[in-house]
Amino acid sequence: MASFNIRVELKGTPAGEDYEKLHTAMMRAGFSRIIIDDDGVRYHLPPAEYVGSGDWNASVVQKQVWLIATSVWKQPAVYVTTAGSRSWRGLKEVG
């Protein structure tokens, strides 16, 4: 199973509620805004960043996320990478 890092930008002048709609739609599709370290500690990702996993490739995930994003906003930008390894610092721990 592959892991993915996903970034979505709503171009133009979206309101906070537009991003909330995006977050809800992404979570319904199985993507998360929380990342978990090797010790099980959970961290919030930066705004409009998501993680997911599945038996797909980055292109398939990008197409799925594009459909989600365009259902919320007319001008999104979507960037998907396959994650081989992740490292982070300074993310806020989920309380």
Side-chain angles (χ1 to χ4, degrees):
M1 186 175 298
S3 295
F4 302 94
N5 297 324
I6 303 153
R7 169 82 174 131
V8 179
E9 176 188 0
L10 303 181
K11 295 179 179 183
T13 54
E17 63 199 35
D18 297 309
Y19 274 102
E20 287 304 318
K21 289 177 187 175
L22 175 65
H23 300 328
T24 299
M26 290 291 286
M27 287 190 307
R28 283 189 185 138
F31 300 103
S32 178
R33 295 176 59 205
I34 295 172
I35 195 165
I36 304 169
D37 72 10
D38 293 339
D39 296 323
V41 180
R42 298 162 29 109
Y43 295 90
H44 293 282
L45 287 169
E49 298 218 8
Y50 307 88
V51 292
S53 60
D55 293 324
W56 316 293
N57 62 40
S59 179
V60 170
V61 173
Q62 177 270 124
K63 289 174 186 170
Q64 180 183 12
V65 172
W66 178 260
L67 289 174
I68 294 166
T70 56
S71 76
V72 172
W73 191 252
K74 188 175 11 176
Q75 298 176 320
V78 174
Y79 179 73
V80 177
T81 60
T82 303
S85 150
R86 294 181 172 120
S87 179
W88 60 87
R89 182 181 290 189
L91 296 181
K92 183 178 176 184
E93 191 173 326
V94 174

